[in-house]
Structure formats: structure tokens, C-alpha cells
Amino acid sequence: QVQLQESGPGLVKSSQTLSLTCTVSGGSITTNYYYWIWMREPLGKGLEWMGAIDYSGDTYYNPSLKSRTAISRDTSKNQFTLQLSSVTPEDTAIYYCARAQTKIAGADDYWGPGTQVTVSS
């Protein structure tokens, strides 16, 4: 069974770049035809799709975040990463990684437990 685990700093200062890593076990990130996804949920708001990287390494981004977002992968470590630049307190949220057969993960897909990131002003 696939398991995902987010890791990274819990506190980031405004204007800095947030970097998160999702470590995957029980399945390869190069396996056809899965998408490896980053989502976030600010307190009191709904889930927001940030972007994805697919099994071949192609990336897809939320247009509203595209200018600040980069998703990459390390196949040797079976990990994929999220970088979000120029963060503000508005980027404070629980960040999740997930696997799905579409670009956006649903409740029935595999998710990590999530990691809280707070951006200080």
C-alpha cells in the first residue's frame, strides 16, 4: 500500500521560499500513470490544488500560483518536492501531498497526513 509523508519547516518567514518534500513508500513515483500532487488547506478555507508532477516528470500548476511554484522529483529517493517562493502569511496552511490517477486528488486517493506551515510576517 502506498504511503506518503510530508516533511519540511513548520515556520517560514515572509518573502522566503517554502520547500516541502513528500517521501513515498510502497510504490514508485515513476509508475504509469499516476500524478503526484500538492494540495493545501488554509484554516477556515477549502482545499486548494497547487500542482502536480506525473509519472514521466511533466508538471502542472494552478494558474493562480504558477509564478511562485515549482514541483520537482528525485526518483533515486522516490521523493517529490514543492517550492513556493515569496511567501506571505496568506500561504499559512496545512500542506498535503497525494497520489491520484488524475491531476487533482480526491477523498478516495492516497494522501499524506499533512504538515502545518506557518508564515510569519
Side-chain angles (χ1 to χ4, degrees):
Q1 181 173 338
V2 173
Q3 292 185 315
L4 299 95
Q5 179 66 57
E6 306 88 352
S7 61
L11 183 63
V12 183
K13 294 182 179 179
S14 288
S15 80
Q16 291 185 338
T17 295
L18 165 66
S19 294
L20 295 175
T21 297
C22 184
T23 301
V24 179
S25 59
S28 171
I29 62 173
T30 61
T31 299
N32 297 346
Y33 294 95
Y34 291 111
Y35 294 86
W36 303 91
I37 299 156
W38 286 100
M39 309 274 288
R40 68 180 182 179
E41 185 174 30
L43 184 64
K45 299 181 181 180
L47 278 167
E48 179 180 35
W49 179 75
M50 301 186 71
I53 186 166
D54 71 14
Y55 59 96
S56 68
D58 290 339
T59 52
Y60 311 85
Y61 297 107
N62 184 328
S64 68
L65 297 170
K66 185 176 182 178
S67 64
R68 299 195 291 130
T69 308
I71 298 175
S72 59
R73 66 179 185 172
D74 185 335
T75 57
S76 68
K77 296 181 180 179
N78 215 36
Q79 296 174 332
F80 62 106
T81 62
L82 169 74
Q83 290 192 310
L84 183 66
S85 63
S86 304
V87 297
T88 72
E90 296 277 308
D91 295 309
T92 294
I94 299 174
Y95 285 74
Y96 298 93
C97 59
R99 187 198 81 171
Q101 290 186 299
T102 58
K103 294 184 183 70
I104 299 176
D108 291 337
D109 294 310
Y110 289 98
W111 291 68
T115 187
Q116 172 71 48
V117 176
T118 301
V119 180
S120 62
S121 57

